[in-house]
Amino acid sequence: AAEALPAGADARCQRRRHLLAAMTAYLHSQVAAGACADPVLGEMLLRLLAAEGSHAQLQLLLTQRILPDSVPLALSLFQLAPEFAPAADFGLDVLKRLGAPAQEALVAELLQQQDVLAACRVIRSLRLLAFPPRPVLAAAAECGSEVFTAVYSFFLLRNASCRGSASFAPEEACDEFVARFQALQCGARTGHGHGGAT
């Protein structure tokens, strides 16, 4: 019985390798035939390769564009970035090919998952200049003062770059976040002053 465990584990590993090979071959054949590859299968293959730590094989498939573009694929790539840094750049490449609606959908999904800094990276890298700041600032406010300050400063820079003024437009309805930022700045100065007195 003790010897059966490694054998079973080896069998499972072998079945997984066969599954990965079959999925990869199928997607290759779809791309070669000019057919629309199955995005669900592509995302599943990405997750399996990530779980295996097969980052080199994953990078090759992404470079060859064997995995079909989709919002879920881009989201999975951003989620993989902490373990595999190039994944975020591949995710941006996917979004560039998908176009504006998909880009905005991914930003909304990242905000829902409270991955606010990744959302800002997408907004900056893809120059989504019309993306409203309010939902991003609202999500950042739930992530603590450090993240909120970073995101608020990001939008000040975007405002200044786009329209020559760092201020938010009235129609953007960001007054509460302006007040929050000012309160944080005031508190930081007061805390600094107290720290110097002691």
Side-chain angles (χ1 to χ4, degrees):
E3 293 179 356
L5 288 175
D10 287 345
R12 284 194 299 273
C13 288
Q14 190 171 8
R15 284 197 297 271
R16 178 173 290 222
R17 283 195 295 270
H18 287 161
L19 176 62
L20 288 171
M23 292 170 70
T24 303
Y26 179 69
L27 287 171
H28 265 290
S29 68
Q30 285 189 310
V31 172
C36 293
D38 185 349
V40 175
L41 185 63
E43 187 193 357
M44 188 184 304
L45 180 56
L46 181 148
R47 292 183 179 277
L48 285 171
L49 289 171
E52 292 280 304
S54 302
H55 295 155
Q57 185 178 354
L58 176 58
Q59 184 164 354
L60 180 62
L61 293 176
L62 290 165
T63 302
Q64 296 176 340
R65 293 179 58 180
I66 300 301
L67 303 182
D69 294 337
S70 68
V71 172
L73 179 74
L75 180 61
S76 295
L77 286 167
F78 278 102
Q79 292 171 337
L80 182 60
E83 305 165 29
F84 176 52
D89 290 328
F90 281 114
L92 288 172
D93 290 340
V94 169
L95 289 174
K96 288 174 185 175
R97 293 190 292 268
L98 288 174
Q103 294 162 6
E104 293 175 2
L106 181 80
V107 172
E109 183 63 30
L110 289 170
L111 293 178
Q112 188 174 352
Q113 297 186 9
Q114 293 194 320
D115 198 348
V116 186
L117 297 181
C120 288
R121 178 177 181 178
V122 173
I123 292 171
R124 182 189 69 245
S125 299
L126 301 182
R127 294 187 60 77
L128 303 181
L129 304 180
F131 196 91
R134 182 176 175 80
V136 188
L137 290 168
E142 297 179 4
C143 297
S145 58
E146 187 174 343
V147 171
F148 175 78
T149 300
V151 172
Y152 187 92
S153 301
F154 162 75
F155 277 108
L156 291 183
L157 290 172
R158 190 185 79 162
N159 293 345
S161 174
C162 292
R163 51 179 181 248
S165 170
S167 301
F168 292 97
E171 61 270 20
E172 291 174 326
C174 291
D175 289 351
E176 65 181 281
F177 302 115
V178 174
R180 180 186 180 94
F181 179 76
Q182 290 172 344
L184 286 171
Q185 294 296 102
C186 182
R189 286 194 296 269
T190 303
H192 180 73
H194 288 166
T198 57

